[in-house]
């Protein structure tokens, strides 16, 4: 048997149960890994609460982890028992051991330990595709990053600064503002009530070419009002709830704007893309350009406490669950 956090129906943090589960066997193209650390991500809250529909019940939530390959199924040649590996974007992460499609695994460089790997694969690969592909950030850009002291946020601030951008980070407290500034945000705005006016002041009226918005419902309007004509609204999360249906005429009224609602799985669906995205992440972390801040760790069995902390905005940076 293995241990896992499972939900039997969607709901609050209390629906997560620490249970004995039969040890899975790797099938064709799969690998069994012993997890040394699992990542906590906001998407885990969406699957737990029912905002995102569970593919099956009971469900082992969690989409990120790092550990050692224990066994492989038929046809697997890319990884072998003993390899240090990590992954993101595959349900089943809140477990001591798990089976996963072997082509979703990446081998870990020696310099990256399991805890850092579990903290960074999902949030870091997300930051990669956002600043390198969704909107390739370039020197001289001024950009807006919401939840700038969060998991994705702290990585985005550091990476965008490295690419030459001036980051305006949006946060909810002065302490979080300080943290975002320490990680590359040139400016911080506390709360979004006055955000467009602050962006106008900071940019001398020019506004910004892109907003990275992971907050969703609460910030949608303010974010659109920060954009320069032809600007790109990147709505990539729903921490405050999903954005309600939109009349696309608003994009015309506010200056021929663009909008995208991207997700990591599309950007890493092809094996070559996964390798490129992970490779760039390993490079910036390896060089120290991006520091992964694991500011909270919880025993995996206490995943409910970790969810409560995340949802009540008490966490900063990344959070890791230890089996
Ligand atoms: P964070 O560490 O950023 O935590 C969420 C943060 O959102 C909070 O700390 C808080 O920061 C802010 N927030 C604003 N309003 C609320 C609210 N009503 N309730 C709770 N939090 C709120 O989480 P992650 O780094 O794991 O994820 C960040 C976002 O990115 C999530 O929305 C997630 O779904 C999304 N995401 C999307 C991906 C994609 O590919 N589309 C992939 C990865 C993440 P503050 O207190 O400063 O406002």
């Amino acid at each position: 048997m293995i241990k896992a956090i499972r939900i039997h129906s969607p709901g609050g943090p209390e629906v997560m149960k620490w249970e004995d589960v039969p040890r899975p066997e790797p099938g064709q193209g799969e690998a069994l890994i012993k997890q040394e650390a699992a990542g906590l991500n906001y998407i885990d809250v969406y699957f737990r609460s029912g905002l995102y529909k569970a593919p099956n019940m009971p469900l082992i939530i969690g989409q990120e982890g790092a550990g050692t390959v224990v066994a492989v199924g038929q046809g697997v040649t890319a990884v072998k028992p003993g390899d240090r590996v990590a992954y993101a974007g595959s349900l089943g992460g809140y477990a001591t051991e798990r089976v996963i499609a072997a082509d979703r695994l990446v081998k870990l460089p020696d310099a990256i330990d399991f805890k850092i790997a579990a903290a960074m694969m999902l949030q870091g690969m997300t930051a990669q595709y956002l600043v390198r592909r969704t909107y390739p950030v370039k020197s001289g850009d001024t950009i807006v990053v919401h939840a700038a002291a969060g998991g994705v946020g702290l990585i985005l601030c550091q990476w965008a600064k490295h690419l030459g951008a001036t980051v305006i980070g949006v946060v909810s407290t002065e302490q979080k503002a300080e943290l975002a500034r320490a990680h590359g945000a040139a400016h911080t705005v506390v709360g979004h009530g006055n955000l467009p006016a602050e962006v106008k002041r900071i940019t001398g009226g020019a506004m910004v070419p892109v907003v990275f918005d992971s907050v969703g419902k609460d910030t949608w309007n303010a974010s659109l009002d920060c954009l320069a004509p032809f600007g790109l609204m990147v709505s990539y999360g729903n921490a405050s709830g999903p954005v309600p249906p939109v009349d696309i005429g608003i994009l015309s009224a506010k200056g021929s704007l663009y909008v995208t609602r991207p997700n990591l799985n599309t950007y890493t669906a092809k094996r070559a893309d996964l390798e490129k995205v992970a490779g760039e992440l390993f490079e910036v972390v390896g060089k120290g350009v991006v520091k992964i801040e694991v500011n909270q760790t919880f025993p995996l069995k206490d995943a409910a406490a970790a969810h409560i902390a995340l949802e009540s905005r008490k966490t900063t940076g990344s959070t890791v669950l230890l089996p």
Side-chain angles (χ1 to χ4, degrees), residues 238-262:
N238 339 275
S240 68
V243 176
V246 171
D247 171 0
I248 62 167
I250 196 164
L251 303 177
S252 161
K254 291 187 186 287
S256 304
L257 303 179
Y258 294 79
V259 64
T260 182
R261 176 59 177 89

Side-chain angles (χ1 to χ4, degrees), residues 26-315:
Q28 171 98 23
E30 293 179 335
L32 173 68
I33 62 175
K34 177 177 182 296
Q35 300 214 120
E36 301 296 339
L40 175 76
N41 291 285
Y42 223 94
I43 195 167
D44 306 344
V45 172
Y46 306 146
F47 273 100
R48 190 214 70 217
S49 69
L51 177 64
Y52 291 178
K53 197 171 157 13
N56 53 277
M57 286 288 182
L59 177 73
I60 302 176
I61 61 169
Q63 305 227 358
E64 177 178 44
T68 311
V69 176
V70 176
V72 296
Q74 274 191 344
V76 174
T77 52
V79 293
K80 58 180 187 318
D83 282 350
R84 300 171 70 251
V85 293
Y87 65 88
S90 182
L91 276 163
Y94 286 12
T96 52
E97 292 178 52
R98 69 161 299 169
V99 153
I100 186 168
D103 68 1
R104 293 289 91 196
L105 293 172
V106 290
K107 286 193 198 168
L108 276 181
D110 291 342
I112 295 178
D113 70 32
F114 290 127
K115 204 167 112 182
I116 295 291
M120 76 178 195
M121 291 302 293
L122 202 149
Q123 294 166 348
M125 292 204 294
T126 299
Q128 191 280 349
Y129 84 70
L130 289 174
V131 297
R132 299 275 294 133
R133 192 164 168 194
T134 307
Y135 176 92
V137 169
K138 53 191 189 310
S139 187
D141 283 340
T142 299
I143 70 171
V144 169
V145 171
H146 283 276
V152 179
L154 282 186
I155 302 173
L156 273 180
C157 289
Q158 295 175 81
W159 207 323
K161 182 185 178 187
H162 172 67
L163 294 170
T166 299
V167 176
I168 304 173
V170 189
V171 291
S172 63
T173 68
E174 196 45 58
Q175 271 162 324
K176 288 186 178 185
E178 219 170 274
L179 191 64
R181 288 196 298 271
H183 289 80
H187 307 271
T188 45
V189 178
V190 177
H192 56 265
N194 218 16
L195 182 63
E198 285 294 296
V199 169
K200 190 170 184 184
R201 180 184 63 76
I202 292 165
T203 59
M207 311 312 278
V208 296
V210 64
V211 174
F212 293 109
D213 186 337
S214 61
V215 173
K217 177 169 69 67
D218 286 359
T219 48
W220 169 260
N221 284 317
S223 292
L224 291 185
D225 285 336
C226 293
L227 287 165
F230 310 108
L232 175 64
M233 168 68 171
V234 183
S235 178
Y236 73 98
N238 339 275
S240 68
V243 176
V246 171
D247 171 0
I248 62 167
I250 196 164
L251 303 177
S252 161
K254 291 187 186 287
S256 304
L257 303 179
Y258 294 79
V259 64
T260 182
R261 176 59 177 89
N263 69 69
L264 177 63
N265 282 346
T266 317
Y267 280 84
T268 54
K270 292 184 187 145
R271 178 71 202 177
D273 287 335
L274 173 63
E275 286 176 8
K276 183 173 161 37
V277 173
E280 275 197 23
L281 174 64
F282 293 154
E283 195 182 319
V284 292
V285 171
K287 284 184 178 158
V289 165
V290 169
K291 186 164 185 294
I292 303 299
E293 302 290 3
V294 183
N295 290 350
Q296 301 77 211
T297 56
F298 292 82
L300 176 57
K301 68 177 171 46
D302 296 337
H307 277 222
I308 290 168
L310 183 63
E311 285 178 275
S312 58
R313 303 161 87 155
K314 297 236 163 62
T315 65

